Amino acid sequence: MKLVEFSSDAFIVAFFLYCLAFTFYGVAVMGKRFRKREPEAHVAKWGRIAFFTAAIGLIGHLVYFFTRWAGSGHVPVSNMYEFMTFLSMAIMIAFVVLYYLYKKSLLGLFALPLVILIMAYAAVFPQEVQPLIPSLQSYWLGIHVTLAALGDAFFAVGFVAGIMHLLRTVNFGGSDKTSRREQRWLEFCMFMVVVLIGFIVSVYGFRSGGYHAEFTQTNIDPSTENSKIVKVEYDMPPLVAPYNSETVSMQPFLGMKSPLFEAPAWMHGVNAGRKFNTVVWSVLSGVILYGLLRLVIRRPLAKVIQPALNRLDPDDLDEISYRAIAIGFPIFTLGGLIFAMIWAEVAWGRFWGWDPKEVWALITWLFYSVYLHLRLSRGWQGKKSSWLTVIGFIVVMFTLVGVNLIIAGLHSYAGTD
């Protein structure tokens, strides 16, 4: 257990080093505005400092990974906390690889916030080492999950370069139909990022306040019609109660003494109501936070960010985005499909079973297959390519997070506690 505790400390150190590196990238971008001479030298200097700090953070992240592995006795990718921490580490590895290929340090200005957000999101989930269920007690766990996550990590860096390309090239001064449509969709991407931030802030806020609610839920097995009463606990105000449940205890929140409504019947499972409640809170907190930001800055978020990228070459960003996906695609093919099907045969006696996670992994693979086809055969470059990277990453995140929060399946062991 001492190794596990040490790994947690290493994880925290890595998190704060990433935050410090992001601050240095901010100094690199914002500081050049106040330097009349040699602004590029200023950016290069602070970019190197930021990358060096992030590299030390990655070392700390690797220490977390291997010490938790040694302390738990299995590859730490078996639950949502472990998987998301590994995904954030894999994104940093992908960023380092592409940095050495292209030497574009300011890519870290967008890659690091993504890593920091995923690490903060991971900390929402239970962090205790949990014994592996029988189907996970296999060396295929490490092979399948780590390769799939590494492929997703390169897709994430491709998304980062793609969104930077859009922020660099979308015409915020244009009033024609195409420009307005691009502005709206790019701002929607910024809104989705704020939703994630708002959710993380609300979770930590309610946890620090010690919020707690408890329900009893009656589950009926449709095949045997036997009923079972289970306890469901919330650590966020239950806007949505579990289906077919009764309130045991609930702390009032803003005058709300009972849930607003129950989860629909088709959201079956003991955690379905709580997961749906999480989704509702994510959107609600994101809307509030986004509204406050717009009220303060009085301009679209994307328009505020754009000036920081004026000196970057859009063609370079487009090339980095494509190369990241080109590297990630074969890795994901191996980990997310081929090795996944082999493990499914070993664990469940079939290569394919139309489980929701399997279906969405296939959708992810098909989407990036289409992306590469359009890029290589149809010449889809620039904005068209960048918009596809954004859509692709939305598909990736729904596969990793949305399926666990909304849809029940054989992979639900990776969901919330």
Side-chain angles (χ1 to χ4, degrees):
M1 292 301 294
K2 290 184 178 179
L3 278 176
V4 175
E5 293 175 1
F6 179 76
S7 73
S8 298
D9 294 337
F11 181 79
I12 294 172
V13 169
F15 178 82
F16 282 108
L17 283 171
Y18 291 153
C19 292
L20 185 61
F22 173 65
T23 302
F24 290 153
Y25 277 120
V27 172
V29 172
M30 300 303 296
K32 71 180 181 181
R33 296 185 179 184
F34 305 102
R35 294 179 63 89
K36 296 181 180 180
R37 292 181 296 179
E38 299 182 350
E40 293 302 327
H42 174 85
V43 172
K45 171 188 173 183
W46 283 100
R48 287 193 297 270
I49 294 173
F51 179 79
F52 180 73
T53 306
I56 298 175
L58 177 58
I59 293 173
H61 213 151
L62 288 166
V63 170
Y64 148 79
F65 178 75
F66 287 109
T67 52
R68 187 175 177 94
W69 187 348
S72 63
H74 61 263
V75 182
V77 290
S78 63
N79 56 43
M80 201 63 174
Y81 168 74
E82 293 178 344
F83 178 81
M84 297 307 288
T85 55
F86 178 81
L87 177 64
S88 59
M89 184 179 72
I91 292 174
M92 277 304 301
I93 293 172
F95 162 66
V96 169
V97 170
L98 289 164
Y99 171 81
Y100 276 108
L101 289 176
Y102 292 97
K103 298 297 187 295
K104 296 293 182 181
S105 61
L106 287 188
L107 191 62
L109 186 66
F110 285 75
L112 277 167
L114 181 61
V115 170
I116 292 168
L117 283 175
I118 292 176
M119 292 176 74
Y121 178 71
V124 167
F125 299 95
Q127 301 174 25
E128 298 81 8
V129 173
Q130 301 169 354
L132 294 180
I133 63 176
S135 61
L136 293 182
Q137 296 174 6
S138 170
Y139 60 87
W140 286 108
L141 170 67
I143 298 173
H144 155 56
V145 180
T146 55
L147 284 178
L150 187 58
D152 287 333
F154 278 98
F155 293 158
V157 176
F159 157 75
V160 166
I163 203 75
M164 290 176 70
H165 179 271
L166 291 171
L167 286 167
R168 174 68 178 83
T169 58
V170 167
N171 181 16
F172 283 94
S175 58
D176 57 282
K177 184 177 179 180
T178 300
S179 296
R180 290 199 304 269
R181 183 173 63 248
E182 290 178 342
Q183 294 165 21
R184 287 195 299 267
W185 280 111
L186 191 55
E187 189 64 14
F188 178 75
C189 294
M190 298 297 103
F191 168 74
M192 294 304 296
V193 173
V194 173
V195 166
L196 177 58
I197 297 172
F199 165 66
I200 293 171
V201 170
S202 62
V203 167
Y204 285 115
F206 287 121
R207 283 190 177 179
S208 62
Y211 188 89
H212 183 265
E214 185 176 321
F215 300 86
T216 56
Q217 181 180 14
T218 302
N219 290 333
I220 300 176
D221 188 339
S223 59
T224 62
E225 296 187 356
N226 293 330
S227 62
K228 180 181 179 181
I229 298 178
V230 296
K231 182 174 70 172
V232 183
E233 295 180 309
Y234 283 47
D235 53 13
M236 299 177 71
L239 303 174
V240 183
Y243 173 71
N244 196 22
S245 65
E246 294 184 1
T247 305
V248 176
S249 63
M250 176 178 167
Q251 298 178 22
F253 175 72
L254 297 179
M256 185 181 69
K257 298 181 179 180
S258 61
L260 300 182
F261 56 93
E262 282 191 350
W266 55 267
M267 284 189 175
H268 55 82
V270 66
N271 289 321
R274 185 171 58 189
K275 291 176 180 179
F276 186 39
N277 190 64
T278 298
V279 174
V280 174
W281 266 109
S282 299
V283 176
L284 182 62
S285 57
V287 168
I288 294 172
L289 181 58
Y290 179 79
L292 290 174
L293 289 172
R294 287 296 302 268
L295 186 64
V296 171
I297 64 179
R298 298 183 180 276
R299 288 187 297 169
L301 303 187
K303 188 175 182 178
V304 173
I305 296 171
Q306 188 180 55
L309 307 178
N310 283 340
R311 292 181 179 271
L312 294 180
D313 187 343
D315 293 335
D316 286 347
L317 294 173
D318 185 46
E319 176 69 13
I320 293 171
S321 179
Y322 162 65
R323 291 298 177 186
I325 292 173
I327 294 172
F329 183 75
I331 298 174
F332 181 82
T333 301
L334 283 174
L337 288 183
I338 296 175
F339 291 152
M341 289 189 289
I342 294 173
W343 188 17
E345 168 63 23
V346 173
W348 297 314
R350 87 292 189 277
F351 288 103
W352 187 262
W354 296 105
D355 181 71
K357 182 76 79 171
E358 295 172 353
V359 171
W360 278 94
L362 178 61
I363 291 173
T364 301
W365 184 84
L366 290 173
F367 181 89
Y368 282 103
S369 299
V370 172
Y371 166 87
L372 291 172
H373 170 73
L374 293 174
R375 174 89 187 196
L376 297 174
S377 301
R378 299 297 180 90
W380 278 36
Q381 299 181 359
K383 288 182 181 178
K384 288 183 178 180
S385 177
S386 295
W387 282 117
L388 287 178
T389 65
V390 172
I391 298 171
F393 190 66
I394 292 173
V395 174
V396 168
M397 293 308 296
F398 184 80
T399 303
L400 298 179
V401 180
V403 171
N404 286 330
L405 290 178
I406 300 173
I407 307 172
L410 291 172
H411 289 76
S412 294
Y413 52 73
T416 54
D417 181 35

